[in-house]
Amino acid sequence: MDINEYGYIKIKIRDLFEINLDNYKSNQMIRRLDGYISRSNTPNVEKYCHSLEHDQNEREKLLDFLTINVSEFYRDASHFEILQTNILPELLQKNSRLNIWSAGCSNGSEPFSIAIILEKLSPFQNHRILATDIDKNSLKKAQAGGPYNINEIRNVPDQILNKYFTCINGKYWLNNRIIQKVEFKHHDLTQTYYENNFDLIICRNVTIYFSDEAKKKINNAFYTALKANGILFIGATETMIDAAAMGFRKVSTCFYKKPDPVSTLKAAF
Ligand SMILES: C[S@@+](CC[C@H](N)C(=O)[O-])C[C@H]1O[C@@H](n2cnc3c(N)ncnc32)[C@H](O)[C@@H]1O
């Protein structure tokens, strides 16, 4: 795919899905799209784009391909362990009702894992868990609480599986009690509007596909969206090289704190 063809498909994707590929790593995206279109039965990018106009099924497939929406409950279980034993209890000591955002939540496995953990840590509290994604199909599955396949629930302990899930014909459905704890919304992280006042923001395996510039903007926006002492939880394969320059303090692998300016000032004297 040459640069003109990439420009052409970028416009098509923006018009069809409101996704701006300028925010994603262009070399990686060109390579992926090139392979994807070669595997389709169309001879070139222009014909492929034309086929998108009247083939709903192909549009759905392309959206799935672009958003890479794989997820699972308790993904990277050791980090969920840190979240459950250290991060959330510390946040709960400061604030009994938490405001949490799972950004790029895919099929809901991530925010639902948080909701299940909070059921255990503070069973009678009505926390707010906002979960957003650019992919409306993923959000539909999340809002329905399934169906989840065996891979998506493989890290869920049996006791939790029995308590909160129902298995129908080999597929797992989450109980309403947990579904209703999460508020799902469509949101594009590359847009400027972010809510704020969050105690915890979870954004894992989302910005790895973004350009360095877009990633930096998003992490800065997360910093602004967090309360003082709030935590940003990132993916296991991600690093935030410029975390300190943005103002974050690393508290553990994958966890970054927005320090409270008052205590930072006191510590300086
Ligand atoms: C690999 S999944 C990660 C899901 C979950 N956070 C996890 O780690 O299991 C990446 C998700 O990011 C979403 N995404 C990609 N670009 C986005 C954007 N610009 N704004 C919001 N979500 C986006 C995709 O739709 C997909 O659901």
Side-chain angles (χ1 to χ4, degrees), residues 195-251:
E195 280 190 35
N196 51 32
N197 259 329
F198 291 104
D199 297 283
L200 172 67
I201 297 177
I202 305 129
C203 186
R204 305 162 72 225
N205 310 302
V206 181
T207 61
I208 32 170
Y209 308 108
F210 287 36
S211 68
D212 287 347
E213 198 192 338
K215 208 185 290 190
K216 197 170 174 181
K217 263 193 199 162
I218 290 170
N219 284 331
N220 268 316
F222 284 153
Y223 185 87
T224 307
L226 282 168
K227 287 181 189 166
N229 290 316
I231 297 283
L232 173 64
F233 178 13
I234 65 170
T237 58
E238 296 165 274
T239 42
M240 274 225 296
I241 306 158
D242 41 7
M246 280 183 212
F248 281 111
R249 191 164 59 76
K250 187 170 181 172
V251 286

Side-chain angles (χ1 to χ4, degrees), residues 24 67-72 75 104-106 110 133-135 187-190 204-206 210:
Y24 296 76
T67 52
I68 317 181
N69 47 26
V70 281
S71 189
E72 59 181 287
R75 184 176 191 175
C105 65
S106 181
E110 184 177 88
D133 202 282
I134 199 171
D135 180 352
H187 178 263
D188 180 352
L189 282 165
T190 65
R204 305 162 72 225
N205 310 302
V206 181
F210 287 36

Side-chain angles (χ1 to χ4, degrees), residues 52-204:
L52 285 175
E53 276 160 30
H54 39 78
D55 188 343
Q56 164 80 19
N57 190 32
E58 187 48 53
R59 287 201 293 276
E60 303 248 320
K61 270 168 53 190
L62 178 62
L63 181 62
D64 260 7
F65 172 79
L66 287 172
T67 52
I68 317 181
N69 47 26
V70 281
S71 189
E72 59 181 287
F73 284 79
Y74 302 93
R75 184 176 191 175
D76 304 313
S78 62
H79 296 140
F80 267 93
E81 187 59 36
I82 298 175
L83 185 73
Q84 176 162 340
T85 50
N86 300 344
I87 306 289
L88 283 170
E90 200 177 302
L91 289 173
L92 283 165
Q93 265 179 11
K94 294 199 174 80
N95 212 330
S96 57
R97 183 181 180 266
L98 299 179
N99 191 19
I100 295 174
W101 178 20
S102 163
C105 65
S106 181
N107 59 27
S109 310
E110 184 177 88
F112 287 142
S113 301
I114 309 279
I116 292 170
I117 291 174
L118 283 172
E119 266 287 277
K120 187 172 172 197
L121 295 181
S122 65
F124 305 109
Q125 187 54 268
N126 195 13
H127 302 286
R128 177 174 186 239
I129 306 175
L130 170 69
T132 62
D133 202 282
I134 199 171
D135 180 352
K136 291 180 181 156
N137 290 339
S138 289
L139 287 172
K140 263 190 220 154
K141 172 166 168 174
Q143 277 160 323
Y148 296 107
N149 64 38
I150 192 88
N151 283 331
E152 290 167 325
I153 53 97
R154 66 186 170 152
N155 285 331
V156 180
D158 281 350
Q159 184 207 358
I160 290 177
L161 203 60
N162 294 336
K163 189 166 177 190
Y164 297 117
F165 290 80
T166 308
C167 184
I168 304 169
N169 299 329
K171 299 281 184 188
Y172 293 81
W173 295 85
L174 192 63
N175 295 357
N176 265 335
R177 179 176 164 73
I178 299 297
I179 298 175
Q180 67 191 16
K181 289 182 181 291
V182 180
E183 174 189 337
F184 289 98
K185 271 191 190 164
H186 179 259
H187 178 263
D188 180 352
L189 282 165
T190 65
Q191 286 180 357
T192 44
Y193 175 72
Y194 282 29
E195 280 190 35
N196 51 32
N197 259 329
F198 291 104
D199 297 283
L200 172 67
I201 297 177
I202 305 129
C203 186
R204 305 162 72 225

